């Protein structure tokens, strides 16, 4: 399939990537495919839960990014994929998959999607959501405790040991690859409208062909 617009949305954990994506999805239901880097965390069936809890999930090696790049290329060519599913409650990849069909716009998100050159080169527009560290930490605590069954202590320990140092080493430097830097994510209405205007023009051009 030709003329698929691929938009990458990166930023630190808790920066507001999901809010931005959800706002876009609400405006363009049926025209957008979503692919999340989070689903490509590597499988660790060989390790017990206690050891999986201690792994560094915020470095590039933790993710099977080459698989994501191959599947994104398949989507760009108009082919459906079966995307892996990651279960954050057990720190391991699930046995389930998600069948994903290509649409006119593909949104991909993740903290490290701009760090990988192969994946980065498949994106037409790269957006970095830039949010203060204290706000990101508060959002991460709420999300991990409410949605992922974590304790407050485990979230803070993980943040100090891996999330913060890996953000400074990999995520923040990848901002240089972005076409657009959006402060405060989906709450930035001006930036959101600019992004949606670009998507509208793309869809209108396709409908005229």
């Amino acid at each position: 399939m030709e003329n698929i617009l691929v938009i990458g949305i990166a930023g630190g954990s808790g920066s507001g990537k999901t809010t931005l994506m959800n706002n876009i999805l609400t405006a363009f239901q049926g025209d957008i495919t979503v692919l999340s880097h989070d689903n490509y965390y590597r499988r660790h069936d060989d390790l017990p839960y206690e050891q999986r809890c201690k792994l560094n999930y915020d470095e590039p090696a933790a993710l099977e990014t080459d698989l994501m790049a191959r599947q994104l290329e398949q989507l760009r060519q108009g082919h459906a994929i079966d995307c892996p599913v990651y279960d954050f409650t057990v720190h391991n990849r699930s046995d389930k998959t998600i069948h994903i069909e290509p649409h006119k716009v593909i949104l991909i998100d993740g903290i490290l999607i701009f760090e990988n050159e192969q994946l980065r080169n498949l994106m037409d527009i790269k957006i970095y959501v830039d949010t203060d560290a204290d706000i990101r930490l508060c959002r991460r605590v709420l999300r991990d405790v409410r949605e992922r069954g974590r304790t407050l202590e485990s979230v803070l320990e993980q943040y100090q040991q891996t999330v913060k140092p890996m953000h400074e080493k990999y995520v923040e430097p990848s901002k240089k690859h972005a076409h657009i830097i959006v402060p405060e994510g989906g709450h930035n209405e001006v930036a959101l409208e600019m992004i949606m205007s670009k998507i509208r023009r793309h869809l209108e051009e396709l409908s005229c062909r």
Side-chain angles (χ1 to χ4, degrees):
M1 184 184 296
E2 297 181 354
N3 301 311
I4 289 180
L5 179 68
V6 179
I7 302 175
I9 301 178
S13 177
S15 59
K17 299 184 298 297
T18 300
T19 301
L20 179 62
M21 288 187 63
N22 287 340
N23 286 336
I24 295 172
L25 287 170
T26 299
F28 300 101
Q29 293 182 18
D31 288 315
I32 293 183
T33 294
V34 175
L35 200 61
S36 176
H37 206 190
D38 281 355
N39 276 324
Y40 292 84
Y41 278 111
R42 296 185 183 278
R43 181 182 291 277
H44 289 289
D45 294 335
D46 55 322
L47 299 176
Y49 173 78
E50 291 74 17
Q51 286 184 255
R52 295 199 301 269
C53 291
K54 298 177 181 178
L55 294 175
N56 182 354
Y57 291 97
D58 294 272
E59 62 176 350
L63 294 133
E64 201 172 353
T65 305
D66 56 340
L67 173 60
M68 185 181 190
R70 291 197 303 271
Q71 292 198 324
L72 176 57
E73 184 59 45
Q74 287 178 275
L75 289 170
R76 283 175 60 102
Q77 293 173 3
H79 305 297
I81 64 165
D82 291 314
C83 173
V85 175
Y86 190 80
D87 187 345
F88 285 93
T89 63
V90 296
H91 291 287
N92 206 8
R93 189 178 289 183
S94 167
D95 291 329
K96 300 177 182 178
T97 59
I98 305 173
H99 188 72
I100 298 178
E101 298 281 347
H103 289 92
K104 299 171 185 176
V105 178
I106 298 174
L107 290 182
I108 67 173
D109 79 300
I111 64 173
L112 293 166
I113 58 172
F114 295 167
E115 189 276 336
N116 182 276
E117 183 178 8
Q118 179 188 11
L119 185 60
R120 194 169 67 233
N121 288 341
L122 295 172
M123 304 174 202
D124 300 300
I125 301 174
K126 295 182 283 290
I127 301 167
Y128 186 93
V129 181
D130 201 10
T131 304
D132 290 344
D134 55 347
I135 296 175
R136 288 190 286 105
L137 174 58
C138 290
R139 290 174 177 170
R140 184 183 177 98
V141 168
L142 290 174
R143 180 198 66 194
D144 285 3
V145 171
R146 290 176 178 175
E147 301 175 15
R148 299 180 178 178
R150 310 284 172 78
T151 64
L152 175 60
E153 292 77 11
S154 69
V155 176
L156 294 177
E157 181 180 4
Q158 184 182 28
Y159 181 83
Q160 292 172 335
Q161 292 184 354
T162 61
V163 176
K164 185 176 185 292
M166 295 300 100
H167 177 88
E168 293 171 351
K169 184 175 182 179
Y170 295 112
V171 183
E172 183 74 19
S174 77
K175 180 166 62 175
K176 66 184 179 184
H177 300 294
H179 296 113
I180 305 169
I181 296 175
V182 178
E184 300 305 325
H187 300 293
N188 188 324
E189 294 183 2
V190 174
L192 177 62
E193 182 54 39
M194 290 174 61
I195 296 164
M196 293 199 297
S197 293
K198 171 63 178 177
I199 295 173
R200 286 192 200 98
R201 288 196 300 272
H202 173 73
L203 295 175
E204 288 169 359
E205 288 172 2
L206 291 181
S207 66
C208 292
R209 295 179 181 179

